[in-house]
Amino acid sequence: MKVNLLALASVVALASSAHADFTIIQKVEGMGSATEIVMKVKGDKIRVEATPDATTIVQGKSGEVITLLNAKKKFIRMSADALKAVAELATKYGGDTAEKMKLTSTGKKMTINGYEAEEFVAETKLFKASYWIAPGFPDSDVIMKQLQAVVPTALNDLAKGLMDYRDLPGFPLRTHVKTGDQEITSTVVTVKRDALSDAEFVPPKDFQEMKMPNMLDVSTEKTAPAPSAKP
């Protein structure tokens, strides 16, 4: 979940030209053996395949988030209102850790996958990060606009202080993030521009929905009044 949140961003207006389909494949190191994250973007929808066990689908327009439990052939659906309730609970009991990320260019440059990238760094209470931005990467602007448009505000609230694509000046080909004792490096291996099927952004027909507790009830729950001392 944490990795997924690092890859996602908040809702902004989707530019009329940003309607291409993209499959972004990233190599992620720092969590034991190297793993691969696949992000499939179609319009205002995204599918994140971070592990074989779970897949996350985000419907940008409705704000709904669907988690597929692949081995169990089940899925969990959370509405935008439910996500907002979870974010409010996290703030209430975990404290408000929101802090706007401020980027600074170091002037350092590196060639990544054949494209010149410039390093930008940021530091908040939650993390230290380096982002290698490559302005010359093909369709960089279009990719960024779709990533900015695809994730509901509630999800960004749950990841307060983490990377928000709205804060970046371009598409990062490499990201290095340190949170506590953990360091994660993510490098874009390839970006495919093949058309994606709408079926990839909805639960498979043979998956069964798992019902979750009503988070709206939990978030508005009030402490019961103390029993009266009168006989």
Side-chain angles (χ1 to χ4, degrees):
M1 181 66 172
K2 192 172 186 179
V3 175
N4 291 358
L5 291 173
L6 285 169
L8 302 178
S10 300
V11 170
V12 295
L14 186 64
S16 60
S17 62
H19 292 292
D21 295 354
F22 295 100
T23 299
I24 304 170
I25 301 175
Q26 302 178 71
K27 180 182 179 182
V28 180
E29 302 169 281
M31 299 179 295
S33 58
T35 59
E36 188 176 86
I37 290 181
V38 178
M39 293 196 300
K40 298 181 179 181
V41 185
K42 185 179 182 69
D44 66 346
K45 300 183 287 290
I46 188 170
R47 176 187 175 104
V48 181
E49 301 168 358
T51 70
D53 297 328
T55 299
T56 301
I57 298 172
V58 181
Q59 305 282 355
K61 186 175 181 179
S62 67
E64 183 178 75
V65 176
I66 299 169
T67 302
L68 305 180
L69 305 177
N70 299 315
K72 297 179 179 180
K73 287 195 172 184
K74 295 183 178 182
F75 69 93
I76 300 169
R77 189 191 306 270
M78 291 191 72
S79 67
D81 288 340
L83 279 171
K84 183 179 179 181
V86 172
E88 290 173 350
L89 282 174
T91 298
K92 180 179 179 180
Y93 295 106
D96 189 354
T97 57
E99 182 181 357
K100 187 68 174 177
M101 184 176 75
K102 296 180 181 180
L103 281 177
T104 303
S105 172
T106 65
K108 295 180 181 178
K109 296 187 178 181
M110 176 192 298
T111 299
I112 301 174
N113 295 337
Y115 296 94
E116 185 178 82
E118 180 178 352
E119 183 186 37
F120 290 80
V121 296
E123 181 174 353
T124 72
K125 295 177 181 178
L126 294 180
F127 73 98
K128 295 180 180 180
S130 295
Y131 305 99
W132 292 90
I133 308 297
F137 190 79
D139 297 323
S140 175
D141 290 344
V142 176
I143 295 172
M144 284 297 293
K145 286 173 182 176
Q146 287 191 232
L147 289 174
Q148 289 168 344
V150 80
V151 181
T153 303
L155 253 184
N156 191 63
D157 288 342
L158 283 172
K160 286 178 178 177
L162 297 179
M163 184 181 73
D164 184 340
Y165 282 102
R166 294 175 306 175
D167 298 326
L168 301 181
F171 182 53
L173 289 187
R174 178 170 294 168
T175 302
H176 178 82
V177 178
K178 181 177 181 180
T179 56
D181 295 330
Q182 187 177 36
E183 296 187 43
I184 299 175
T185 300
S186 175
T187 304
V188 173
V189 177
T190 186
V191 176
K192 300 178 181 179
R193 296 161 180 80
D194 301 332
L196 298 170
S197 169
D198 289 332
E200 295 203 64
F201 300 90
V202 294
K205 293 181 179 179
D206 59 341
F207 276 44
Q208 181 181 2
E209 183 171 2
M210 295 175 61
K211 297 297 181 181
M212 292 187 63
N214 190 332
M215 298 307 300
L216 296 176
D217 292 341
V218 174
S219 65
T220 56
E221 186 179 85
K222 296 181 179 180
T223 304
S228 174
K230 295 181 180 180

